[in-house]
Amino acid sequence: MATTNDLPTAHWLGLLKKRRERMYDEVLDLSTPINWASSEEQNGAIAFFNAAFRAEESGLRQAHEIASEVEKADPEFAETLRLYGDEEGWHRELLTKFLPFLGGELRPMGPTTSTFYHLYARAKRHESIVLTNLMFETIGSTTYRIALRTAKQHPAIRQMLTILTRDESFHVPLNAHFLRRILAHKDRVAKLRLAGLYHVLTASLMASAAASRRRTKVFDNIDFRTLARAYAEQLGKLFVHAPDLGLTPSRALLATVGLHRSDLMHDADVLSIEAAERAADREKVIVDSL
């Protein structure tokens, strides 16, 4: 199966330009009030979408910063990064409207989330920033996809989750392309350093599922083991199907959630050209397979 490794930046740029043509035409339908089962469920939803807001805000800033830094050397790559950041910014705009509809507001980050984003903001190496963002996009799309089946079934909530699932599913192979472009100019030491970061982030993100369960499980109805296993599986699949990136999931870490490397090879490659083209279509969303 052909992978997105075969696609040039110009192809991704073309996809982003097509997506942008219709992006701002999509409007949230907030006409039907939500009848919450309890104040705890409502607060769980507010916490869930606050976390989504922070992820989009961080992705926007980092993409635009890297775009500015590579502009002179590679304007095409810079434009692709900038349009990707604009999509993250659009999500942030939607969530800014959505949180008051839920009866909430933008809240300060909790200690676990705050630590993640402070460390992310301090990263200077492009490969470290993009790998981190790729992994954040992966756990984001994973969480949203599961929540589409398990969270409160209200039309506005489902629409918001569908938008996030659909777009983050496209952002995963897109960020894998960004990472390949950057690693093409890096030496072996940089790649070894990146492998260490990958393992630390995988373990940290799996552990973060416990912290998020305390706040949002009452809304999304996803238990810790289900979410941690899904994170391990999806973060592992990324690189099992992309050996050129030189990142291999830890057998020991997979074993903690009952997985083996061989388990990651059975399903379709999320970085295949077919998966990327399917995710790029704003009229479709992938909600199965987890």
Side-chain angles (χ1 to χ4, degrees), residues 16-263:
L16 285 163
K17 286 180 176 178
K18 287 180 181 178
R19 287 164 62 85
R20 187 182 181 87
E21 291 174 1
R22 290 184 291 170
M23 184 167 70
Y24 294 103
D25 294 336
E26 192 161 11
V27 178
L28 290 175
D29 181 359
L30 306 180
S31 60
T32 306
I34 299 175
N35 294 317
W36 299 104
S38 65
S39 59
E40 290 78 15
E41 182 187 49
Q42 182 180 21
N43 285 327
I46 293 167
F48 183 100
F49 289 104
N50 257 275
F53 180 95
R54 295 300 184 184
E56 304 302 328
E57 182 179 52
S58 181
L60 163 64
R61 179 177 54 80
Q62 295 283 28
H64 282 188
E65 285 181 2
I66 296 177
S68 297
E69 292 168 9
V70 303
E71 181 82 51
K72 290 184 179 179
D74 194 338
E76 183 180 64
F77 187 35
E79 185 180 4
T80 306
L81 282 160
R82 194 167 287 114
L83 288 180
Y84 157 64
D86 290 347
E87 290 198 1
E88 299 283 86
W90 176 63
H91 291 164
R92 186 181 65 170
E93 291 174 18
L94 292 179
L95 288 162
T96 300
K97 299 173 184 176
F98 193 63
L99 282 166
F101 170 73
L102 297 178
E105 59 187 4
L106 187 61
R107 297 174 176 174
M109 291 181 284
T112 302
T113 306
S114 180
T115 299
F116 271 126
Y117 285 113
H118 285 162
L119 291 173
Y120 184 34
R122 291 171 57 188
K124 300 300 180 184
R125 297 186 179 94
H126 288 176
E127 65 272 21
S128 297
I129 294 170
V130 173
L131 174 65
T132 302
N133 207 49
L134 169 59
M135 296 176 73
F136 280 9
E137 295 281 15
T138 300
I139 68 163
S141 64
T142 299
T143 306
Y144 303 143
R145 187 180 296 117
I146 299 173
L148 267 170
R149 297 199 306 266
T150 61
K152 188 177 187 68
Q153 297 300 299
H154 179 276
I157 291 173
R158 187 162 185 83
Q159 184 187 12
M160 189 73 249
L161 286 172
T162 298
I163 290 169
L164 293 171
T165 303
R166 177 198 64 202
D167 291 353
E168 303 304 83
S169 295
F170 172 66
H171 291 168
V172 170
L174 175 62
N175 273 271
H177 172 73
F178 292 157
L179 185 59
R180 284 188 170 108
R181 283 295 304 271
I182 291 167
L183 286 180
H185 305 288
K186 300 296 177 179
D187 59 18
R188 183 172 176 273
V189 173
K191 293 177 181 179
L192 288 172
R193 184 168 55 234
L194 201 66
L197 176 62
Y198 165 63
H199 291 303
V200 169
L201 276 176
T202 300
S204 299
L205 291 171
M206 288 172 62
S208 75
S212 70
R213 297 308 81 211
R214 291 195 296 270
R215 296 187 301 275
T216 67
K217 184 177 183 293
V218 67
F219 162 69
D220 60 34
N221 298 305
I222 309 171
D223 62 71
F224 167 71
R225 180 166 179 78
T226 296
L227 195 59
R229 181 185 171 92
Y231 283 0
E233 184 177 15
Q234 298 305 313
L235 290 170
K237 280 182 182 179
L238 277 177
F239 302 107
V240 163
H241 290 285
D244 61 295
L245 292 174
L247 301 172
T248 305
S250 162
R251 285 192 173 90
L253 201 56
L254 290 172
T256 64
V257 290
L259 289 170
H260 300 86
R261 286 182 186 170
S262 58
D263 297 327

